[in-house]
Amino acid sequence: ESSELEDDTEGLSTRLSGTLSFTSHEEEEEEEGDGASEELEEPPQAPGAAAGTEDGGRCWGEWVSAAERPGGSLLTRQLQELWRRSRGSLAPQRLLFEVTSASVVSERSSKYVLYTIYLIRSGQFDKAPATIARRYSDFEQLNRRLRCRFSCDMASVAFPRKRLRRNFTAETIAKRSRAFEQFLSHLHSIDEIRRSPEFLEFFFLPDLQAAQRLTCTGMYREALATWANAYRLQDRLGVCSSGRFLLTLAGLAVCHQELDQLGEAHGCCEQALQLLEAQGSHPLLGPFLQAHIHLSWKVGKDKRRSEARLQDLREAGLPLQQQPSLKECLIKEPLE
């Protein structure tokens, strides 16, 4: 990844919000000078625009023009009331993407920038935010895959072009960071793209793969943190009824149980069984029921309903003796 972004940022957001931290594991190239870190202040924005809505600027402009019309002056509290009433008519962006840091990483034969991105629900505070770390080539691959499948929808989506030099200056990294924020926000605003496997798996598939590897090698504490982040990512993206999410709950349950956190493991099984309530058969239904019964006995919870459901599966002819355990299902599941 020797080249990344063109200086030409036409079509990209020029908003430089928040404070980005730039860190490197070694001395930067001579061309970077003293720009290893800098604070980027956000210019004033209209309330609607700050919420990430398309209508934000238009609505605010209407309020300003109404206040400036002769004889049409509005008091501050009237503007506030108008804003409060108008919020219901806007379509706020439910998910925000914010690059919080960018690190220059040097490996054997390559050097690249790793961007850390928070997924934030608009108007809410997350004690444990959902995060991803991606490099330019990851974004480029996502852009290429989506343009192959959604050529019409992607025609209006801007993506930062590559450049051959000055890749690691604070200014260039800041421009890329804002470009990637806008790129993800634009993708998320398009219904078909937002629901596509290409878009969704860009966020949580690497975490699932890493968590599975850690679980297989018995590194349960590290795996638990990774499963938990995959859980939060899927929750923010609104895909909490998918097979990937059930696998995530299985990973959480297994790691909690291995770490002797039986109450938490029991809760994960209960959540999975609620999602499987309407399904007569699912590869994970039997393993989740068996795990739930075992954990319910351990923590002193009612297990009769799970036992009844398990009996129904037996009567339906499911060979439960040959069913793998939840941990075996987790380890054998292909994640590609």
Side-chain angles (χ1 to χ4, degrees):
E1 193 171 329
S2 60
S3 61
E4 295 192 2
L5 183 71
E6 280 282 357
D7 284 332
D8 176 15
T9 55
E10 182 180 359
L12 301 178
S13 172
T14 57
R15 179 178 63 88
L16 302 179
S17 65
T19 302
L20 277 173
S21 63
F22 305 104
T23 59
S24 173
H25 300 296
E26 63 173 23
E27 288 295 321
E28 295 299 289
E29 296 174 348
E30 182 178 352
E31 66 178 12
E32 295 181 54
D34 297 328
S37 64
E38 66 178 22
E39 186 169 310
L40 305 171
E41 297 181 356
E42 181 175 1
Q45 290 188 345
T53 65
E54 294 180 358
D55 297 332
R58 178 181 57 79
C59 293
W60 182 250
E62 291 173 357
W63 301 338
V64 172
S65 62
E68 293 177 348
R69 284 198 305 267
S73 178
L74 294 175
L75 298 175
T76 300
R77 67 173 182 271
Q78 291 174 306
L79 281 170
Q80 292 173 340
E81 177 64 19
L82 180 57
W83 163 239
R84 185 187 64 80
R85 291 200 311 268
S86 300
R87 288 180 69 184
S89 65
L90 299 178
Q93 181 174 318
R94 300 179 64 88
L95 193 63
L96 306 176
F97 305 91
E98 182 178 348
V99 177
T100 58
S101 66
S103 302
V104 179
V105 179
S106 295
E107 293 182 346
R108 294 177 182 175
S109 59
S110 66
K111 186 176 181 180
Y112 59 89
V113 180
L114 193 65
Y115 301 88
T116 299
I117 303 160
Y118 278 25
L119 279 68
I120 305 168
R121 287 196 184 100
S122 178
Q124 298 186 21
F125 173 75
D126 292 322
K127 291 183 179 178
T131 66
I132 60 172
R134 301 288 183 270
R135 53 192 290 183
Y136 181 90
S137 58
D138 297 322
F139 286 99
E140 188 177 41
Q141 182 182 41
L142 173 64
N143 180 60
R144 186 168 57 251
R145 293 179 68 192
L146 290 175
R147 289 189 188 277
C148 287
R149 184 175 173 189
F150 304 101
S151 56
C152 293
D153 289 323
M154 290 294 293
S156 61
V157 178
F159 186 78
R161 292 180 291 174
K162 290 185 176 181
R163 57 168 296 173
L164 296 175
R165 58 189 181 85
R166 298 186 63 82
N167 292 308
F168 304 105
T169 64
E171 180 184 4
T172 298
I173 294 173
K175 287 181 180 180
R176 292 192 188 119
S177 299
R178 300 312 165 216
F180 289 144
E181 287 178 351
Q182 187 183 29
F183 174 68
L184 293 177
S185 295
H186 197 163
L187 295 179
H188 189 260
S189 70
I190 303 172
D191 288 343
E192 288 190 2
I193 292 179
R194 183 172 63 243
R195 295 191 294 264
S196 68
E198 292 87 350
F199 179 75
L200 294 172
E201 292 183 353
F202 168 81
F203 292 94
F204 58 77
L205 184 57
D207 270 29
L208 294 181
Q209 293 169 332
Q212 186 185 51
R213 287 193 300 270
L214 290 167
T215 305
C216 291
T217 55
M219 302 178 67
Y220 299 113
R221 196 167 300 280
E222 295 83 354
L224 180 61
T226 311
W227 287 118
N229 190 60
Y231 178 104
R232 291 190 293 269
L233 288 168
Q234 292 170 88
D235 176 57
R236 303 299 186 274
L237 293 164
V239 287
C240 292
S241 59
S242 67
R244 300 291 202 197
F245 190 71
L246 286 169
L247 188 72
T248 304
L249 288 172
L252 289 169
V254 167
C255 290
H256 278 306
Q257 186 171 358
E258 293 289 344
L259 295 170
D260 204 28
Q261 299 167 357
L262 303 184
E264 290 84 349
H266 179 267
C268 292
C269 290
E270 285 205 325
Q271 185 177 356
L273 291 175
Q274 288 173 2
L275 292 173
L276 291 166
E277 185 75 36
Q279 299 193 36
S281 63
H282 188 280
L284 289 174
L285 178 56
F288 266 121
L289 285 170
Q290 292 175 327
H292 184 257
I293 291 169
H294 174 73
L295 289 166
S296 296
W297 177 76
K298 287 276 191 179
V299 300
K301 299 285 187 179
D302 188 359
K303 54 187 173 63
R304 289 173 293 180
R305 192 156 186 271
S306 290
E307 288 175 331
R309 291 182 71 183
L310 200 60
Q311 182 60 33
D312 290 341
L313 292 180
R314 288 194 183 98
E315 293 174 358
L318 185 67
L320 295 177
Q321 291 78 9
Q322 302 173 13
Q323 284 277 294
S325 67
L326 205 57
K327 186 175 181 180
E328 289 170 337
C329 289
L330 186 68
I331 292 173
K332 294 177 180 178
E333 178 69 18
L335 287 172
E336 300 176 354

